[in-house]
């Protein structure tokens, strides 16, 4: 993936070290832009995101927020504006009557639920992912080992997250990066839909902690397993159990921990502990 000037800025800073003292350095910084998302020209939310793969982001957000399914999206238009980027998703009449989760604030890059008005809208029932596909622990490790080399923006800036889709053998296919972990996963969801991929045939890998919103998005994608580099929250584990999702976290070079639905992994892992 090409790193364009639009995605990266250059900033100077004053670095201090007890050994070297003070020195001026230059550092690459990821661009963060306002993405105004509307449905049928009706403004819905503003996302703070890395300004690439914007169409994937819009399509993925539409799916993972339960606004509409992929078949109900007629068109996506992307326009540059002085304040950021405007994206409009045109839906079929059957989707327009569906109740959206209302928002009143911008969605910040660190938060997947900014602006949600009601508690009932924050934690909603999730679809159950009914898949008996088994996975091997070595496939998880293979995917975790490979994701670092698939993050050009992350390696350059050390300030972004990535979300990737791995097949059953742990080989990475589509990878998306963003300053926001939720945005990266939405971009991945949109990219998978546009590519016609089968989410049930592999698993999601994210370079962040696993909160329940990440589980929610994985469930709405229809993927049976999510692997997170960092730790999960208690609610994420509970929601993963409810949604039939295998939640693997603390996935590092030396191993990983399975917190829910371990039966989907091979028998050698089922009886550990």
């Amino acid at each position: 993936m090409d790193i364009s000037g639009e995605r990266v800025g250059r900033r100077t800073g004053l670095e201090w070290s007890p050994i070297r003292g003070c020195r001026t350095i230059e550092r690459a910084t990821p661009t963060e832009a306002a993405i105004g998302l509307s449905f049928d020209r009706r403004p819905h939310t503003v996302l703070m995101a890395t300004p690439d793969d914007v169409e994937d982001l819009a399509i993925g957000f539409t799916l993972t927020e339960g606004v509409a399914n992929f078949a109900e999206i007629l068109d996506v238009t992307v326009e540059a504006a002085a304040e950021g980027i405007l994206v409009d998703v045109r839906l079929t009449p059957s989707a327009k009557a569906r109740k959206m989760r209302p928002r009143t604030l911008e969605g910040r890059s660190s938060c997947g639920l900014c602006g949600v008005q009601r508690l009932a809208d924050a934690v909603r029932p999730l679809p159950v992912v009914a898949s008996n596909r088994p996975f091997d622990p070595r496939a998880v490790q293979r995917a975790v080992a490979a994701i670092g080399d698939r993050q050009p923006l992350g390696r350059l800036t050390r300030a972004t997250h990535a979300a990737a889709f791995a097949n059953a053998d742990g080989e990475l296919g589509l990878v998306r990066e963003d300053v926001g972990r939720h945005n990266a996963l939405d971009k991945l969801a949109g990219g998978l839909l546009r590519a016609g991929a089968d989410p049930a045939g592999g698993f999601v890998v994210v370079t962040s902690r696993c909160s329940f919103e990440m589980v929610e998005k994985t469930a709405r994608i229809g993927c049976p397993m999510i692997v997170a580099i960092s730790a999960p929250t208690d609610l994420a584990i509970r929601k993963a159990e409810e949604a039939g999702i295998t939640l693997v976290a603390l996935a590092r070079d030396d191993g990983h921990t399975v917190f829910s639905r371990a039966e989907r992994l091979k028998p050698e892992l089922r009886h550990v502990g």
Side-chain angles (χ1 to χ4, degrees):
M1 184 184 295
D2 178 48
I3 300 295
S4 68
E6 198 172 76
R7 301 174 72 203
V8 180
R10 292 281 177 180
R11 298 289 181 178
T12 58
L14 189 62
E15 182 185 74
W16 181 88
S17 164
I19 298 174
R20 294 187 299 270
C22 289
R23 63 172 180 167
T24 300
I25 64 164
E26 183 179 76
R27 188 174 180 87
T29 56
T31 301
E32 191 172 17
I35 313 290
L37 180 61
S38 63
F39 293 99
D40 297 307
R41 295 296 177 183
R42 294 183 178 180
H44 182 68
T45 190
V46 177
L47 303 172
M48 300 306 299
T50 303
D52 63 350
D53 300 311
V54 174
E55 189 170 344
D56 286 349
L57 174 62
I59 292 172
F61 182 94
T62 302
L63 173 72
T64 65
E65 284 289 306
V67 176
N69 59 44
F70 188 52
E72 293 172 317
I73 298 175
L74 296 176
D75 189 31
V76 178
T77 59
V78 180
E79 303 174 12
E83 303 84 1
I85 300 173
L86 300 177
V87 186
D88 183 64
V89 180
R90 190 159 61 91
L91 303 174
T92 62
S94 62
K96 293 175 183 177
R98 187 172 300 178
K99 183 178 180 296
M100 301 180 193
R101 177 156 58 184
R103 292 170 180 251
T104 57
L105 297 173
E106 76 275 15
R108 297 174 176 86
S109 57
S110 60
C111 177
L113 291 173
C114 292
V116 172
Q117 299 172 12
R118 302 184 305 169
L119 291 177
D121 289 322
V123 184
R124 302 177 297 180
L126 299 183
V128 176
V129 179
S131 171
N132 296 319
R133 175 180 289 276
F135 294 101
D136 192 297
R138 286 177 288 267
V140 173
Q141 292 305 121
R142 194 173 297 121
V144 170
I147 196 169
D149 290 336
R150 298 289 300 277
Q151 300 176 68
L153 185 60
R155 289 200 313 273
L156 183 64
T157 66
R158 301 297 180 188
T160 58
H161 292 291
F165 182 74
N167 65 17
D169 294 324
E171 297 171 347
L172 296 185
L174 199 65
V175 181
R176 291 289 184 264
E177 295 182 276
D178 199 275
V179 290
R181 56 197 173 93
H182 307 92
N183 297 334
L185 187 49
D186 279 342
K187 286 181 177 180
L188 179 68
L192 290 174
L193 288 171
R194 295 177 68 194
D198 178 15
F203 56 94
V204 167
V205 184
V206 295
T207 62
S208 63
R209 68 182 176 91
C210 187
S211 58
F212 87 90
E213 312 99 292
M214 304 296 274
V215 171
E216 178 180 29
K217 292 179 184 296
T218 301
R220 295 192 184 282
I221 294 169
C223 195
M225 185 163 74
I226 180 171
V227 176
I229 303 299
S230 192
T233 65
D234 181 74
L235 183 56
I237 297 170
R238 287 198 284 120
K239 299 305 282 187
E241 284 284 357
E242 291 175 16
I245 290 176
T246 300
L247 195 166
V248 180
L250 300 170
R252 313 290 170 77
D253 292 340
D254 59 348
H256 56 263
T257 303
V258 185
F259 288 91
S260 69
R261 302 291 175 134
E263 68 274 6
R264 194 173 274 120
L265 287 154
K266 290 293 180 69
E268 66 181 84
L269 190 59
R270 292 179 194 170
H271 305 297
V272 171

